[in-house]
């Protein structure tokens, strides 16, 4: 029978030989050292001399004594018999025929090896399991395996599978209930009513309030940026982010919030008060920072793609349009000045050294020569065109696109005041000037006259100084506050990415230093963390144990050095290893490698994903969190793009394209709606199942091995 969360197969594999040990496992667990041999030699008959080490080594490998040692795999018996020079390993079938022999041997082994009974450490295991379940939120199977590992490391005989499973289930359920009760206890009566209202569907609407607020932005635009900030403001107004949840392990809070973000409102309504409201609280706490993350992520993409990159592209287009006029004007000006140089310069004969005077002696004569090739009015028009189409001498390469950027103030006007009001910005010393300037921008907006004293001129780098302080349309004593706004936003964009400016109420864009526990917070979390990691209360104890292990290992290695010809020490005491000469590769391997390389096509990663989707249908596993049957057209293309973006950690920008399936809004929607832990698992299962049908993969282990295992083979 399956034990609660364990399948029949898992229960059968627990503490037993579910398969023949590998050669490496035989050498690690079933090798008999001198002490083992000495204990074995005290036994007289061959079957006892073999049966005793079977129990001795099996308890090391399994963590418990076998009910019938004679059921050990034949490979284990033969390996032990070979070490003991017992010719016939089949004599093991006689072991234990006399009642009590095997049990007596097990007692001897337990006492000599320091193995303890489970009852002796049960309370200690409960404390350890409770700490791990409380801090990690691991599932019952993971906790079961961790508990078994903890018992084996502590040389504790494993109890029955059902006994350990019941203990794990009880401790985990108690930890979950404590989590829900703790969060529930943080809420006032009014806050509980506010959270429950999120599960209601307003009149005339099709989705609940929870569904509405957990849906992020789907387009890159100024109005969408404003909506995103309003969403963050609305969620923050719920007040749940102000509650002190520091007593809850962040991983447990994140796990509970994922359930609230992915789950349906109708399902959440069915839970009891403590679990329902705890889930909603964790979800709103998560959304409080996630909404700011979404807003700042959208701001980053908006500035990078819709403002900076677009201004640069349009500037290049404008330059290309004016290039013919610039070329013609430059050619005329160059022709005229060539005449000036030719007619006003002295000529030197390189053979004789004779110097000849200028070709013309007066200014009027020079102009006659110039007008003979370029009329004066054309030259005047060329000069005017160059002044119009080319930047001043003291400008930089960025002035053209920055000027273009200023004309797009309408994109940032809708959300600029909200950005400062909703996002709680902070800064390092390097970013304080930019942050102060950002906070001052709302006071400058809409005013006719803004003086230089009202802005931070120290931020005006490069061409921004000219655009802000010396624009042609400015009245004396005023500055262009729109250009100043974009100067600040450009530097904010750069400093947000480097975390010199950060958002305190954000996770992705927050201050990395804020996540380090210190002072009172660390003292409160310390006992639980140390218990879950199995560390002593004082660092000195742990370091002393590590130092002893290092010293012992060092002495063991040093003892082997005199007999090792591959290691030498130079006069300075430095250690040198002799180079290992590689074995030559056979011709057959070189030919095979060349043939395989010739057959492999060179394709891009997205093409590989799409091809695999066509073979396996793994993209069908990515279903909407809403449970609807309708699917987006070319959904597999969007999913492939998102997998590349996340797998390569490059974000949306490199995979955004002109087709509907690759637009930012589509990518963001599919990312939030279709890509989640459950669909990833389903897609992985599909891939593994398909791979298992391949003959070569089956020969390597049923499709569950990595490519590196194939290389080893």
């Amino acid at each position: 029978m399956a034990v609660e969360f364990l399948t029949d197969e898992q229960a059968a594999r627990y503490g037993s030989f579910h398969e023949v040990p590998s050669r490496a496992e035989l050498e690690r667990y079933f090798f008999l050292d001198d002490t083992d041999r000495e204990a074995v030699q005290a036994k007289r008959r061959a079957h006892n001399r073999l049966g005793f080490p079977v129990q001795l080594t099996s308890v090391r490998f399994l963590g418990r004594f076998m009910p019938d040692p004679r059921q050990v795999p034949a490979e284990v018996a033969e390996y032990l018999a070979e070490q003991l020079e017992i010719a016939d390993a089949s004599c093991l079938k006689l072991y234990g025929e006399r009642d009590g022999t095997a049990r007596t041997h097990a007692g001897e082994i337990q006492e000599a090896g320091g193995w303890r009974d489970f009852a002796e450490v049960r309370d200690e295991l409960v404390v350890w399991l409770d700490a791990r379940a409380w801090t990690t939120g691991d599932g019952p199977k993971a906790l079961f395996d961790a508990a078994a590992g903890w018992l084996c490391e502590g040389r504790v005989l494993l109890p029955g599978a059902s006994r350990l499973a019941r203990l794990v289930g009880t401790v985990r359920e108690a930890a979950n209930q404590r989590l829900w009760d703790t969060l529930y206890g943080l809420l006032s009566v009014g806050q509980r009513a506010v959270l429950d209202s999120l599960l209601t569907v307003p009149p005339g609407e099709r989705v609940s309030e929870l569904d509405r607020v957990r849906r992020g932005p789907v387009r890159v635009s100024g109005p969408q940026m404003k909506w995103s900030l309003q969403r963050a403001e609305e969620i923050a107004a719920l007040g749940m982010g102000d509650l002190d949840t520091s007593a809850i392990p962040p991983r447990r809070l994140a796990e509970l919030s994922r359930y609230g973000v992915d789950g349906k409102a109708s399902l959440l309504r069915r839970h009891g008060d403590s679990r329902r409201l705890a889930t909603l609280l964790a979800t709103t706490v998560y959304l409080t920072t996630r909404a700011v993350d979404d807003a700042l992520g959208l701001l980053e993409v908006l500035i990078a793609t819709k403002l900076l990159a677009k201004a640069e592209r349009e500037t290049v287009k404008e330059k290309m349009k004016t290039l013919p006029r610039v070329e013609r004007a430059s050619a005329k000006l160059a022709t005229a000045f060539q005449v000036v140089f030719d007619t006003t310069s002295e000529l030197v004969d390189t053979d004789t050294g004779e110097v000849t005077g200028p070709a013309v002696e007066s200014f009027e004569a020079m102009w006659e020569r110039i007008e003979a090739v370029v009329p004066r009015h054309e030259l005047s028009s060329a000069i005017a065109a160059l002044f119009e189409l080319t930047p001043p001498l003291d400008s930089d390469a960025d002035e053209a696109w920055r000027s273009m950027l200023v004309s797009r103030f309408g994109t940032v006007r809708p959300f600029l005041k909200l950005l400062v009001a909703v996002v709680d910005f902070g800064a390092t010393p390097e970013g304080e000037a930019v942050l102060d300037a950002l906070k001052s921008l709302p006071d400058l907006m809409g005013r006719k006259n803004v003086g230089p004293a009202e802005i931070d001129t120290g931020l005006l780098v490069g061409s921004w100084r000219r655009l802000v302080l010396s624009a042609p349309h400015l009245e004396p004593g005023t500055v262009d506050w729109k250009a100043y706004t974009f100067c600040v936003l450009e530097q904010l964009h750069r400093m947000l990415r480097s975390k010199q400016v950060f958002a305190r109420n954000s996770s992705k864009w927050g201050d990395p230093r804020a996540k380090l526990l210190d002072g009172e917070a660390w003292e409160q979390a310390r006992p639980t963390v140390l218990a879950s990691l199995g560390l002593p209360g004082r660092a000195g104890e742990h370091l002393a144990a590590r130092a002893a292990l290092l010293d012992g290992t060092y002495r063991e290695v040093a003892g082997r050095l005199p007999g090792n010809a591959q290691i030498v020490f130079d006069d300075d005491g430095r250690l040198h290893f002799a180079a290992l000469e590689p074995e030559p590769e056979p011709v057959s391997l070189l030919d095979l490698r060349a043939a395989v390389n010739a057959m492999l096509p060179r394709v891009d990663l997205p093409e590989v994903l799409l091809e695999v989707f066509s073979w396996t249908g793994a993209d069908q596993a990515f279903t909407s969190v809403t449970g609807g049957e309708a699917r987006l057209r070319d959904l597999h293309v969007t999913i492939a793009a998102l997998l590349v973006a996340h797998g390569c950690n490059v974000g949306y920008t490199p995979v955004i394209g002109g087709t509907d399936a690759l637009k930012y809004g589509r990518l963001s929607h599919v990312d939030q709606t279709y890509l989640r832990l459950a669909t990833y698992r389903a897609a992985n299962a599909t891939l593994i199942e398909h791979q298992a049908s391949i003959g070569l993969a089956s020969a390597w282990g049923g499709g569950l091995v990595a490519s590196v295992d194939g290389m080893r083979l």
Side-chain angles (χ1 to χ4, degrees):
M1 293 293 293
V3 182
E4 297 179 354
F5 51 82
L6 297 180
T7 64
D8 291 342
E9 180 183 0
Q10 290 172 318
R13 291 163 61 97
Y14 171 76
S16 63
F17 287 98
H18 56 275
E19 58 185 16
V20 176
S22 65
R23 183 68 187 182
E25 290 172 332
L26 287 174
E27 293 172 350
R28 178 178 180 183
Y29 294 100
F30 297 92
F31 178 79
L32 300 175
D33 59 21
D34 292 345
T35 303
D36 298 335
R37 291 173 180 270
E38 183 178 345
V40 171
Q41 293 304 324
K43 315 305 175 189
R44 290 180 298 172
R45 298 176 181 177
H47 58 270
N48 286 338
R49 291 178 57 239
L50 183 56
F52 184 86
V54 163
Q55 293 208 81
L56 175 66
T57 54
S58 295
V59 74
R60 295 174 185 170
F61 183 68
L62 302 177
R64 62 189 301 193
F65 290 106
M66 298 178 62
D68 185 355
R70 293 174 295 183
Q71 300 300 317
V72 71
E75 290 79 1
V76 173
E78 291 171 359
Y79 182 72
L80 292 171
E82 181 182 355
Q83 296 179 72
L84 297 172
E85 299 181 351
I86 296 175
D88 185 10
S90 65
C91 68
L92 181 63
K93 63 185 178 181
L94 301 177
Y95 180 64
E97 282 191 340
R98 185 172 66 83
D99 186 37
T101 300
R103 187 163 55 252
T104 301
H105 286 176
E108 294 177 13
I109 293 169
Q110 180 177 351
E111 182 178 357
W115 290 90
R116 295 178 290 171
D117 288 327
F118 176 73
E120 299 177 29
V121 299
R122 183 185 182 282
D123 293 341
E124 185 181 350
L125 175 61
V126 168
V127 173
W128 183 85
L129 272 176
D130 180 71
R132 187 178 181 93
W134 173 252
T135 55
T136 67
D138 286 343
K141 295 179 182 178
L143 284 177
F144 183 87
D145 291 339
W150 184 88
L151 291 171
C152 289
E153 289 179 5
R155 299 185 74 80
V156 179
L157 296 176
L158 293 179
S162 60
R163 186 180 181 187
L164 183 59
R166 283 194 296 271
L167 178 63
V168 167
T170 300
V171 172
R172 183 173 181 272
E173 182 61 29
N176 287 339
Q177 190 62 51
R178 177 153 54 102
L179 172 67
W180 302 332
D181 291 343
T182 303
L183 289 172
Y184 182 80
L186 297 176
L187 298 170
S188 65
V189 175
Q191 289 171 328
R192 294 169 188 172
V194 169
L195 289 177
D196 269 333
S197 68
L198 294 176
L199 299 179
T200 61
V201 179
E205 299 292 337
R206 300 179 59 186
V207 297
S208 67
E209 288 294 288
L210 178 61
D211 290 326
R212 183 179 62 82
V213 297
R214 66 187 179 184
R215 185 181 301 119
V218 295
R219 293 189 303 277
V220 181
S221 66
Q224 187 77 171
M225 182 67 201
K226 179 180 180 181
W227 174 87
S228 184
L229 288 168
Q230 289 173 337
R231 167 180 174 249
E233 186 177 37
E234 179 184 358
I235 295 173
L238 296 174
M240 304 305 162
D242 299 330
L243 295 176
D244 183 11
T245 58
S246 58
I248 308 298
R251 183 171 170 182
R252 298 305 311 276
L253 204 62
E255 176 194 43
L256 200 57
S257 67
R258 281 195 296 271
Y259 176 62
V261 169
D262 293 339
K264 296 180 180 180
S266 58
L267 180 61
L268 293 176
R269 292 192 201 101
R270 302 174 190 171
H271 294 307
D273 289 348
S274 61
R275 183 177 183 183
R276 182 183 72 254
L277 291 171
T279 303
L280 291 173
L281 172 57
T283 303
T284 51
V285 169
Y286 165 75
L287 289 176
T288 300
T289 57
R290 175 57 189 268
V292 178
D293 287 348
D294 290 342
L296 292 179
L298 181 58
L299 176 67
E300 193 270 337
V301 175
L302 179 66
I303 293 177
T305 60
K306 292 292 186 179
L307 295 176
L308 300 181
K310 192 170 184 179
E312 290 183 8
R313 290 195 301 269
E314 293 188 358
T315 300
V316 171
K317 290 181 182 178
E318 290 297 323
K319 286 184 178 180
M320 294 302 295
K321 291 179 182 178
T322 60
L323 185 60
R325 290 182 60 193
V326 173
E327 289 178 341
R328 288 194 297 269
S330 300
K332 291 179 180 180
L333 196 61
T335 302
F337 269 91
Q338 185 65 50
V339 173
V340 172
F341 289 134
D342 291 345
T343 57
T344 59
S345 301
E346 294 180 340
L347 301 178
V348 179
D349 191 327
T350 56
D351 295 331
T352 63
E354 182 180 356
V355 179
T356 305
V360 297
E361 297 181 356
S362 65
F363 185 73
E364 291 78 6
M366 180 189 69
W367 265 110
E368 289 180 4
R369 295 283 187 96
I370 292 175
E371 291 192 19
V373 292
V374 182
R376 183 177 297 217
H377 69 278
E378 292 185 10
L379 188 59
S380 176
S381 299
I383 293 174
L386 289 177
F387 274 117
E388 175 189 352
L389 301 175
T390 58
L393 292 177
D394 59 347
S395 67
D396 57 24
D398 297 327
E399 183 167 348
W401 67 262
R402 284 174 173 169
S403 300
M404 183 77 68
L405 192 63
V406 175
S407 66
R408 300 191 172 277
F409 186 76
T411 302
V412 301
R413 180 191 293 273
F415 65 82
L416 200 54
K417 291 183 178 179
L418 267 177
L419 178 65
V420 177
V422 173
V423 183
D424 182 13
F425 283 111
T428 63
E430 294 80 5
E432 286 179 354
V434 173
L435 180 55
D436 292 340
L438 175 68
K439 292 180 177 180
S440 70
L441 292 181
D443 297 332
L444 307 180
M445 292 177 58
R447 292 172 50 188
K448 273 192 172 182
N449 298 319
V450 177
E454 299 179 77
I455 67 172
D456 185 353
T457 55
L459 297 178
L460 303 178
V461 295
S463 53
W464 280 124
R465 177 168 291 275
R466 175 193 298 276
L467 293 172
V468 174
L469 301 178
S470 307
H473 63 279
L474 292 177
E475 297 180 6
T478 64
V479 299
D480 188 338
W481 58 269
K482 293 183 180 179
Y484 179 68
T485 297
F486 279 106
C487 171
V488 173
L489 287 178
E490 181 190 351
Q491 297 188 56
L492 173 68
H493 178 253
R494 184 178 68 254
M495 290 196 168
L496 271 176
R497 301 180 73 174
S498 63
K499 298 298 177 69
Q500 290 175 312
V501 174
F502 50 83
R504 297 186 183 92
N505 53 347
S506 171
S507 176
K508 179 180 178 181
W509 303 94
D511 183 3
R513 301 168 299 180
K515 297 183 179 180
L516 298 176
L517 292 180
D518 193 16
E520 183 64 25
W522 165 241
E523 292 301 327
Q524 291 181 359
R526 180 176 178 175
T528 303
V529 172
L530 293 179
S532 65
L533 296 176
L535 295 176
R538 296 182 179 275
E541 301 175 16
H542 181 66
L543 293 177
R546 299 295 95 187
L549 177 62
L550 178 62
D551 180 69
T553 305
Y554 178 84
R555 293 179 183 277
E556 181 183 355
V557 173
R560 299 176 182 174
L561 289 180
N564 194 333
Q566 299 295 318
I567 298 177
V568 295
F569 291 91
D570 59 20
D571 295 337
D572 296 329
R574 294 180 178 178
L575 180 67
H576 296 275
F577 292 89
L580 297 177
E581 295 297 330
E583 295 183 4
E585 295 181 340
V587 177
S588 60
L589 175 60
L590 298 177
D591 293 341
L592 176 62
R593 182 181 298 143
V596 171
N597 288 337
M599 290 187 289
L600 291 175
R602 298 183 65 86
V603 294
D604 290 333
L605 180 57
E607 296 176 1
V608 174
L609 288 174
L610 293 174
E611 185 72 8
V612 171
F613 285 169
S614 69
W615 298 340
T616 64
D619 57 310
Q620 302 297 317
F622 292 95
T623 56
S624 173
V625 70
T626 61
E629 294 298 328
R631 297 178 65 85
L632 298 172
R633 184 167 58 88
D634 292 334
L635 178 61
H636 63 293
V637 176
T638 310
I639 290 173
L642 288 170
L643 292 178
V644 171
H646 294 322
C648 298
N649 197 25
V650 295
Y652 288 173
T653 303
V655 298
I656 291 176
T659 64
D660 291 338
L662 297 177
K663 290 184 177 178
Y664 176 84
R666 170 76 166 265
L667 292 168
S668 178
H669 171 75
V670 173
D671 193 9
Q672 297 181 67
T673 310
Y674 286 79
L675 270 62
R676 56 191 188 280
L677 182 60
T679 54
Y680 277 125
R681 285 176 173 170
N684 278 336
T686 301
L687 294 175
I688 292 172
E689 181 181 357
H690 187 85
Q691 185 180 354
S693 65
I694 302 173
L696 183 58
S698 298
W700 287 351
L704 295 174
V705 297
S707 57
V708 67
D709 295 306
M711 294 172 61
R712 291 196 188 98
L713 179 61

